[in-house]
Amino acid sequence: MYTATPLRSYAEKKPVRHVVGTTKVIAILNQKGGVGKSTTTINLGAALGAMGKQVLLIDLDPQGNTSSGLGIEKNLLNECIYDVLISDTQLTDIIIPDVCEGLDVAPATINLAGAEVELVSEMAREGRLKEAIGHVRGKYDYIFIDCPPSLGLLTVNALVAADKLLIPIQCEFYALEGVTKLLDSMKRVKSLLNPGLEIYGVLLTMYDGRTTLSKQVAAEVRNFFGRTVFDTVIPRTVKISEAPSFGQPINEYDPTGKGAEAYCALAREVSQRG
């Protein structure tokens, strides 16, 4: 059954029972659509939350898949990340706490589609998200930003706000197509706006070990990116595809399946990388 998430306010958040150290802000980005950005944002965040970490997911994609995939009914929201970027709304005013264990969400609605145009005339438009995140640094172990499949102003905001970049790459033909342009954009943002920006990791998604193509793509990606590629690969499974339609992460929807095992392994690898 589909599980709708209660729309609590940030003031109702459960107390945090551990000392949060330095907050790591990681943008999950690939300009190609359908490579598993939202799926990774949801399931990696939920797996880290289940490990006892405090995690905030920021949905920066107007499609709002990270929000709906966690059972958030977007039509019931009064405000979303759009209001944080465009007006004086604080990030804590829109955060929905405890969506899963240790997991909070700053949701998106279709209103966000207008932000690209509206931000053009704003002062310091590239730094709006960074400024908003500054108010919650120290409250979360990890903040993951689910980026839209483009290199527009929303994505630039994510690159300016992030400490690191996580790139999901689908094990399909043309997997590396467009990655050079993505890396060029990252280098421009790094040189002009965010000198500390680095690649945190590259994640192979939708891997099918039965096919030669998946093995060839995995080898090609590892050859191109070297040690930044995670050891964990995310398999192509029906359960991972089904979970968002039930408003649940894979570790709740199918906790003993291959997908949940893979994202738990990825969470451990992320935790070890620091």
Side-chain angles (χ1 to χ4, degrees):
M1 289 180 60
Y2 178 80
T3 305
T5 295
L7 300 182
R8 305 183 188 92
S9 69
Y10 187 76
E12 299 173 85
K13 179 175 170 60
K14 296 175 185 175
V16 178
R17 303 195 180 280
H18 71 275
V19 176
V20 175
T22 303
T23 302
K24 301 165 190 68
V25 182
I26 300 172
I28 298 179
L29 172 63
N30 189 324
Q31 70 193 70
K32 288 182 61 132
V35 299
K37 289 187 296 295
S38 299
T39 300
T40 296
T41 304
I42 291 169
N43 294 314
L44 174 56
L48 285 165
M51 288 171 54
K53 304 295 185 182
Q54 281 293 309
V55 183
L56 173 63
L57 308 184
I58 297 178
D59 194 348
L60 206 63
D61 187 345
Q63 295 178 79
N65 290 339
T66 290
S67 305
S68 58
L70 284 166
I72 295 170
E73 297 187 8
K74 295 177 287 185
N75 59 313
L76 300 179
L77 297 173
N78 294 320
E79 292 180 306
C80 73
I81 194 67
Y82 164 85
D83 300 280
V84 174
L85 296 174
I86 299 299
S87 65
D88 295 326
T89 302
Q90 295 294 308
L91 193 54
T92 49
D93 292 339
I94 70 157
I95 288 174
I96 301 169
D98 306 317
V99 172
C100 300
E101 183 182 351
L103 187 67
D104 297 355
V105 178
T109 67
I110 193 61
N111 291 348
L112 190 58
E116 294 268 9
V117 175
E118 294 177 55
L119 281 170
V120 168
S121 60
E122 296 289 334
M123 293 287 289
R125 58 184 181 264
E126 300 92 351
R128 287 299 184 94
L129 184 60
K130 181 179 181 179
E131 181 183 355
I133 287 175
H135 296 292
V136 297
R137 277 189 180 267
K139 297 181 179 180
Y140 295 96
D141 297 293
Y142 295 94
I143 297 176
F144 293 110
I145 307 168
D146 182 21
C147 300
S150 67
L151 296 175
L153 205 43
L154 288 174
T155 298
V156 171
N157 259 267
L159 291 175
V160 171
D163 306 317
K164 306 285 183 184
L165 183 63
L166 193 160
I167 306 172
I169 294 183
Q170 183 181 7
C171 293
E172 296 284 354
F173 198 58
Y174 296 134
L176 289 172
E177 186 181 74
V179 170
T180 303
K181 188 175 180 181
L182 169 60
L183 296 178
D184 287 343
S185 298
M186 176 192 145
K187 288 174 184 174
R188 284 200 299 274
V189 171
K190 181 179 171 70
S191 63
L192 297 171
L193 299 166
N194 186 359
L197 184 64
E198 301 287 351
I199 293 178
Y200 179 73
V202 176
L203 177 65
L204 292 163
T205 64
M206 305 181 197
Y207 180 83
D208 186 346
R210 300 169 300 179
T211 68
T212 302
L213 177 61
S214 277
K215 294 174 183 176
Q216 288 175 338
V217 170
E220 187 178 0
V221 170
R222 292 189 188 281
N223 183 57
F224 187 87
F225 285 102
R227 296 179 65 182
T228 60
V229 183
F230 288 105
D231 292 334
T232 303
V233 297
I234 306 301
R236 180 186 290 278
T237 74
V238 173
K239 294 293 186 182
I240 288 178
S241 301
E242 286 178 351
S245 63
F246 289 86
Q248 295 177 305
I250 191 63
N251 64 345
E252 291 185 3
Y253 179 68
D254 184 35
T256 60
K258 290 182 179 179
E261 288 178 1
Y263 275 109
C264 287
L266 176 63
R268 289 192 293 271
E269 205 172 339
V270 166
S271 186
Q272 289 165 3
R273 286 196 184 190

